[in-house]
Amino acid sequence: MKKKIVIKDSERLVADLSKAYRVVAKQTTIPVLTGFHLQFTGESLTITGSDTDNTIRITEEDNCTSSQSCAVVVPARIFLDTVRKLPACEIQLKMGENEISIAAGKSTFELKTMKADEYPSFSLDDTGVCVEIQAADLANGLRLEYACSVLAMRPTL
């Protein structure tokens, strides 16, 4: 039985996938880490990307509709490239046993998937401390000032 999911805004999905792709393992001994862990529950989608050292988990509310809760691991690069090239419209996903069908407009793609229960679970809150900060404030705080030296033997700070 195929599970059907509808993604309402493909541009938001591409933006979230691009953020999570930054930490997806490119070469690893654990093949499942080369993919995105996608978890659908009702009207929310959680995207997880990890390389065991760094993990990004993004939860998107009100961008999808799923008849039942389900999870899947899709190959990250192929899935991101496929969704990025689709027209900016509603995307329909149909998940089978070992594949996922992606349809938007007149385009339809099928990708092989991996089992979601093979994806390792990562605790994102090891310390018990959670800090929330506005993105603009974080970017402002991380702004770099550059220093340059004319001589390598006498650095100028």
Side-chain angles (χ1 to χ4, degrees), residues 28 36 48 50 69 79 81 86 109 115 118 153:
T28 181
F36 292 123
T48 306
S50 181
S69 297
F79 188 73
D81 289 344
L86 290 174
F109 300 92
K115 294 183 180 182
E118 293 178 4
M153 299 300 290

Side-chain angles (χ1 to χ4, degrees), residues 76-128:
R77 183 169 184 224
I78 296 170
F79 188 73
L80 176 60
D81 289 344
T82 302
V83 173
R84 183 180 287 150
K85 292 179 183 178
L86 290 174
C89 63
E90 186 177 271
I91 298 175
Q92 295 181 1
L93 304 175
K94 293 179 185 174
M95 293 193 319
E97 195 66 28
N98 292 325
E99 76 268 339
I100 188 167
S101 173
I102 307 163
K106 295 180 181 180
S107 304
T108 303
F109 300 92
E110 287 191 14
L111 300 176
K112 295 293 182 187
T113 62
M114 296 171 265
K115 294 183 180 182
D117 55 348
E118 293 178 4
Y119 201 85
S121 62
F122 298 102
S123 176
L124 296 180
D125 192 11
D126 292 336
T127 62

Side-chain angles (χ1 to χ4, degrees), residues 36-54:
F36 292 123
H37 182 270
L38 305 176
Q39 184 171 0
F40 302 94
T41 53
E43 293 190 1
S44 72
L45 162 64
T46 302
I47 302 167
T48 306
S50 181
D51 64 356
T52 66
D53 293 330
N54 301 306

